[in-house]
Amino acid sequence: MNTIVGAGVLAMPLAMAKFGVTLGVFVIVFSGLMSGFGLYLQARCARYIERGTASFFSLSQLTYPNAAVVFDTAIAIKCFGVAVSYLIIIGDLMPQVIAGISKDAESIEYLMDRRFWITAFMLVVIPLSFLRRLDSLKYTSFVALVSIGYLVIIVVAHFLIGDTLGERGNIRPFIPAGPIEVLSTFPVIVFAYTCHQNMFSIVNEIKDNSHGSTLSVIFGSIGSAGFIYILVAITGYLSYGDNVGGNIIAMYPASWTSTIGRAAIVILVMFSYPLQAHPARASIDNVLKWRPFANRNGPRPAVAARSVEMSDRRFAVITTFILVGTFVVAMLVNSLERVLAILPGIFYWKISNPDSDHHHRLLKDEDLDDEELGEYAGITDNWKAKLLRRGALALVIYGFAVMVTCLAINTFYVVAH
C-alpha cells in the first residue's frame, strides 16, 4: 500500500483537471484494475518458483532467459530514479516546513539549503535501506500511511470549508482539456499504481501465500489506493477547478495545517525510499550475476528454480552504490519530472502455453484434486485458463500501447513548450 500511494497522490487533482471529472474517475478505476490484474498474474507466476525465491529474474529464466538482464535493468533504473525524486522532494520541502514553523529560521542560511536537508535525511534513510526483508519496513510504512491519511484530510477539509472558492477556475464535469493534455497526463495515473517491483517480495515473505490470501492483499491495496485517488482528485479539483496545480498541498494558504502537510509529505517519501532501494538492489544483483543462456533446446538453467541469497558483502556494496548514487544525483539535480505491468503479462502468456514444460503446473493452480488432475491433464481447452491467458496477452498489448503513446506525446509536449 505504501509503495502504491506515494507523493503522486498530490498530482491527482491536476490529472482530474485534464481529464474532466467523469473521464478522470473512469481512468483512475481502469488503471487500478489493470495494475491489479498485473499483480494477480505475478502472484500466479510465483507458484512456478520455489517458495521464497520468486523474482522477475527467476521468472525470466523460465520464460525468456536472455531477456532477464533487460527486465532487471529496467526495474533497477526505474527504482533508482524514483528514489532520487524522493530525495529531491525532501530537499525542496524541508526549507518550506522550517519557514512555516519559524520566520526567523529563514535568516539561517543552512536551514534554507536543500542540500543540507538531503544530507540530514540520508542519516535516517541509510539504516532503513540496509534491512534485508521488506517485512522489516512494516512499521515505517504504517507511519507513511498515517501521513497519507493526514494529507487526504487536509484536501477534503479545505473542500468542505470552501476557503478556496475565490481562486477556483472552471469545472469540467464531462469534457476533457484536449487529447494532448489527456495523453500527457495519463502516465501520472498509470504510474501512481506502480508497486509491482515489490510484489514478489510480498509473495515470498507473506505467511499465507494461498490464492485467497494474495488476492485479498491485491484487492485490498488497489481498492484502498483507488478510493484515496478518487477522493483527493475530486475534492482537490472542485476546490480550485482548472487553476489547480501539480501539488495540491502547496496551493493552500500558509498555516500550521499546511506546514504539517508538507512535513507529512517529507515523512512519506523518506519512509518510501527504502521500498525503492529494496527491489533496485535485487535487480542490480541479478544483472551482475546474469549469464547468457545459449542452449535454446536444452533444459532451463537451475537458477530458474532456486535463487542464491546475496552475500553480506555483495549486499553492502550494492546498497552503498544505490545510496551514494541517488544522493549524488539528488544533490546535483534541482528537479526531476517526468511499465512494469507489461512483464507479468509476458511471463504468464509464456508460462501458460499448453506446449510449455510448465503448463501442467498451471492445472495445479486451480486447486484440483488428484482425480480432477488426471481428468484435465493434457486438456488445452480449459476455458478459464484460456481466458486468463488471453487477458495476459491483452495486458501486454495495453502496456506497450501506453508506453509508446505516452512517451511520444510527452516528448512532443516538452519540445513544443
Side-chain angles (χ1 to χ4, degrees), residues 132 309-317:
R132 274 187 178 268
E309 186 176 1
M310 210 183 308
S311 66
D312 290 340
R313 180 180 179 181
R314 193 181 185 93
F315 181 92
V317 170

Side-chain angles (χ1 to χ4, degrees), residues 27 108 157 168 182 257 266-267 281 349 373:
V27 171
I108 305 177
R168 188 169 74 175
V182 165
T257 55
V266 172
I267 293 173
R281 177 174 52 234
W349 170 260
L373 280 173

Side-chain angles (χ1 to χ4, degrees), residues 3-240:
T3 310
I4 299 172
V5 185
V9 68
L10 305 175
M12 283 296 152
L14 178 61
M16 186 68 75
K18 303 298 184 183
F19 282 101
V21 176
T22 304
L23 182 59
V25 171
F26 172 80
V27 171
I28 291 175
V29 173
F30 179 78
S31 298
L33 291 174
M34 292 298 100
S35 180
F37 184 52
L39 295 173
Y40 173 70
L41 293 181
Q42 281 187 252
R44 289 183 65 91
C45 287
R47 294 191 175 199
Y48 295 94
I49 309 297
E50 182 181 337
R51 167 78 159 144
T53 62
S55 66
F56 282 104
F57 179 78
S58 57
L59 277 169
S60 298
Q61 292 294 298
L62 280 179
T63 53
Y64 302 95
N66 288 325
V69 67
V70 177
F71 295 151
D72 274 295
T73 299
I75 294 168
I77 292 173
K78 177 265 175 191
C79 294
F80 186 92
V82 174
V84 169
S85 72
Y86 286 163
L87 295 180
I88 291 175
I89 290 173
I90 291 173
D92 290 344
L93 286 184
M94 276 309 298
Q96 300 177 29
V97 172
I98 297 301
I101 295 174
S102 173
K103 292 295 182 182
D104 296 335
E106 295 184 22
S107 60
I108 305 177
E109 185 176 351
Y110 73 89
L111 291 179
M112 296 295 106
D113 187 354
R114 59 182 296 275
R115 293 182 176 85
F116 167 78
W117 290 111
I118 292 175
T119 305
F121 274 85
M122 286 298 293
L123 299 178
V124 179
V125 166
I126 287 173
L128 294 177
S129 299
F130 273 94
L131 297 174
R132 274 187 178 268
R133 287 175 58 85
L134 198 66
D135 184 63
S136 302
L137 300 170
K138 58 186 175 184
Y139 299 112
T140 56
S141 293
F142 176 77
V143 174
L145 290 178
V146 171
S147 302
I148 282 289
Y150 179 80
L151 296 172
V152 173
I153 291 173
I154 288 182
V155 176
V156 175
H158 278 285
F159 167 71
L160 295 176
I161 296 171
D163 59 351
T164 62
L165 296 180
E167 304 175 47
R168 188 169 74 175
N170 295 327
I171 300 292
R172 286 177 289 100
F174 305 104
I175 303 176
I180 300 296
E181 289 80 359
V182 165
L183 290 174
S184 63
T185 308
F186 187 53
V188 174
I189 297 179
V190 173
F191 189 75
Y193 284 102
T194 302
C195 61
H196 302 72
Q197 69 272 19
N198 281 329
M199 182 60 188
F200 285 128
S201 294
I202 293 172
V203 172
N204 290 338
E205 297 180 17
I206 194 171
K207 291 181 180 178
D208 179 10
N209 70 338
S210 64
H211 186 69
S213 177
T214 52
L215 273 182
S216 66
V217 171
I218 293 169
F219 285 122
S221 300
I222 292 292
S224 301
F227 173 77
I228 291 173
Y229 289 154
I230 291 175
L231 182 61
V232 171
I234 291 179
T235 54
Y237 176 54
L238 294 180
S239 295
Y240 285 100

